[in-house]
Amino acid sequence: MIIDKKLKGLVIKKFNEFFLVAIMQHENFEFKKKFLCKIRKSVNFRNQFVFVGDEVIIDQIDLKNKRAIIESLVKRTNLLERPSVANISNIYVICSVEEPKLNLSQVNKFLISAEQMGVEVSLVLTKCDLITEQKRIFLIDKFQKWGYQAITLDLNNLDNFKKFLDLLKEKKCSIFTGPSGVGKTTLLNRIIPNLNNTTSPVSSKIKRGKNTTRNVELFSLSSKSFIVDSPGFNMQALEIGIRELPNLYPEIYQQVVNQGVKCKFRNCTHVDDDGCNLNKDFERYGFYKEMIESSKSHCCLIQGD
Ligand SMILES: Nc1nc2c(ncn2[C@@H]2O[C@H](COP(=O)(O)OP(=O)(O)O)[C@@H](O)[C@H]2O)c(=O)[nH]1
Ligand SMILES: [Mg+2]
Ligand SMILES: [Zn+2]
């Protein structure tokens, strides 16, 4: 019953020393073919960890009992911490427009730490039922200037939700992140049937402790797409090097990359540098400057959940 063939698979779940691996063929995932695997005890695997989202090569495939051995790990493109997930392709920063109120400085921090992962970053504004159409358009326009095409959602608008879902189905591996109480779990419960994570009104958030760590799992949205079934909690400390910061602001890197803006010095921080040619007339410049200043001295922590 053990086939004489090695296959590439994707780790979709991890529990203790076991991994649930779905077979990948031609970059598509055959989620129906899942194998319970353990890691081969070998020198190659010494000190190596395998995470959900990792691509692996499996061997000793037992079709009848759906068991196999993970033989090796394919090089990963990135690794997110808390929850630990490898090979994320898209981060969705979720923020509500009200309850809790939109906090621009917080939105900025979430966007920047998401950008730091080097993946495609998108902004989703929830609870748009709580604002006027005029305000919604105003916010879309604001974030357009920040370099983001904001996706606006509200619980009552099914059309917008369906459009968002179609978008997610185009992306390889998405994860949500954002502050507490914005509706991340509500959204995940809608996207993933039977997930039934608990949601709670904003007021009870403070009393409630932090989510106890639960094992993350990948949920398949289409044959080439999946989503992490719980939000990224802490997008780690914003410990960003001064050199890296300009690359995390679309308003800056678009000037440099697309418009060919050149400053006198290649490592210009675009603050008070001699011969700086950057157009600083954009809303987030103040946040940028603050981040440059603080990364010179210390790093700041941001809280998600
Ligand atoms: N008015 C309104 N409330 C929402 C919407 N989406 C979620 N909520 C509520 O916001 C609260 C927090 O939602 P939850 O999903 O637990 O947020 P999380 O902390 O980001 O996971 C819940 O009481 C939800 O019912 C929405 O589109 N409109
Ligand atoms: Mg939640
Ligand atoms: Zn400059």
Side-chain angles (χ1 to χ4, degrees):
M1 263 301 154
I2 292 180
I3 60 166
D4 184 25
K5 196 175 171 186
K6 292 178 186 182
L7 290 173
K8 192 158 138 188
L10 172 78
V11 177
I12 58 173
K13 196 174 178 177
K14 178 178 178 175
F15 29 103
N16 302 325
E17 73 272 47
F18 290 101
F19 299 84
L20 193 60
V21 176
I23 298 306
M24 293 167 68
Q25 249 152 23
H26 316 294
E27 292 309 305
N28 279 359
F29 306 94
E30 294 192 34
F31 274 89
K32 285 185 201 90
K33 290 187 191 152
K34 289 178 198 161
F35 294 88
L36 191 62
C37 303
K38 273 189 165 186
I39 290 179
R40 167 163 293 159
K41 291 194 186 80
S42 74
V43 241
N44 293 343
F45 262 115
R46 203 178 288 159
N47 301 327
Q48 282 239 48
F49 293 100
V50 175
F51 297 100
V52 167
D54 266 327
E55 290 179 9
V56 292
I57 305 297
I58 61 170
D59 192 12
Q60 290 184 29
I61 301 165
D62 181 341
L63 289 178
K64 183 162 174 278
N65 297 311
K66 299 266 184 191
R67 298 289 290 259
I69 298 287
I70 295 176
E71 184 220 61
S72 60
L73 178 65
V74 179
K75 197 175 183 308
R76 66 173 70 105
T77 55
N78 59 54
L79 180 64
L80 199 79
E81 283 175 63
R82 288 202 262 168
S84 298
V85 194
N87 300 321
I88 289 289
S89 66
N90 287 76
I91 298 178
Y92 290 86
V93 173
I94 320 270
C95 292
S96 57
V97 291
E98 288 289 342
E99 300 182 11
K101 237 185 194 7
L102 202 62
N103 172 332
L104 294 182
S105 160
Q106 188 184 46
V107 179
N108 175 55
K109 283 175 183 170
F110 271 99
L111 288 173
I112 294 304
S113 64
E115 289 287 352
Q116 220 186 346
M117 289 298 295
V119 302
E120 195 186 330
V121 177
S122 311
L123 178 63
V124 178
L125 301 176
T126 57
K127 311 198 189 185
C128 289
D129 50 306
L130 302 176
I131 54 169
T132 61
E133 180 61 9
Q134 203 181 1
K135 181 76 191 284
R136 191 181 71 93
I137 306 280
F138 167 83
L139 290 173
I140 289 175
D141 184 56
K142 175 193 280 297
F143 292 116
Q144 176 85 51
K145 289 177 189 140
W146 285 29
Y148 298 90
Q149 202 88 49
I151 297 155
T152 56
L153 298 175
D154 75 70
L155 277 179
N156 314 316
N157 189 330
L158 258 180
D159 278 356
N160 280 356
F161 172 74
K162 283 200 185 112
K163 268 186 224 152
F164 180 47
L165 195 57
D166 286 342
L167 196 71
L168 290 176
K169 286 179 182 170
E170 300 290 307
K171 314 296 182 184
K172 198 170 173 196
C173 185
S174 304
I175 191 166
F176 291 171
T177 193
S180 222
V182 299
K184 298 182 297 299
T185 304
T186 306
L187 212 47
L188 281 171
N189 283 342
R190 279 216 170 175
I191 294 166
I192 310 177
N194 308 322
L195 179 66
N196 275 323
N197 270 340
T198 52
T199 60
S200 44
V202 182
S203 52
S204 68
K205 284 281 166 187
I206 302 107
K207 286 172 249 161
R208 196 175 58 105
K210 279 276 164 209
N211 275 336
T212 45
T213 40
R214 201 172 58 80
N215 286 336
V216 287
E217 193 173 336
L218 296 185
F219 178 81
S220 148
L221 294 171
S222 73
S223 64
K224 52 175 189 271
S225 161
F226 41 94
I227 185 165
V228 180
D229 74 346
S230 60
F233 322 135
N234 239 328
M235 294 289 287
Q236 272 315 301
L238 278 182
E239 222 175 307
I240 307 167
I242 291 175
R243 290 275 177 83
E244 201 190 345
L245 262 174
N247 303 325
L248 306 180
Y249 280 83
E251 305 95 316
I252 299 176
Y253 66 70
Q254 276 165 12
Q255 286 193 48
V256 176
V257 177
N258 303 347
Q259 297 160 31
V261 169
K262 278 196 177 68
C263 302
K264 186 172 172 189
F265 300 107
R266 234 185 38 171
N267 59 357
C268 185
T269 64
H270 315 299
V271 178
D272 295 319
D273 312 52
D274 182 29
C276 178
N277 288 319
L278 189 84
N279 177 2
K280 300 173 179 70
D281 184 21
F282 57 91
E283 190 180 5
R284 284 203 294 175
Y285 184 69
F287 290 147
Y288 169 76
K289 212 170 141 180
E290 254 172 51
M291 280 189 152
I292 287 281
E293 241 97 84
S294 79
S295 71
K296 278 178 189 163
S297 45
H298 59 94
C299 66
C300 43
L301 283 168
I302 64 160
Q303 286 277 303
D305 80 333

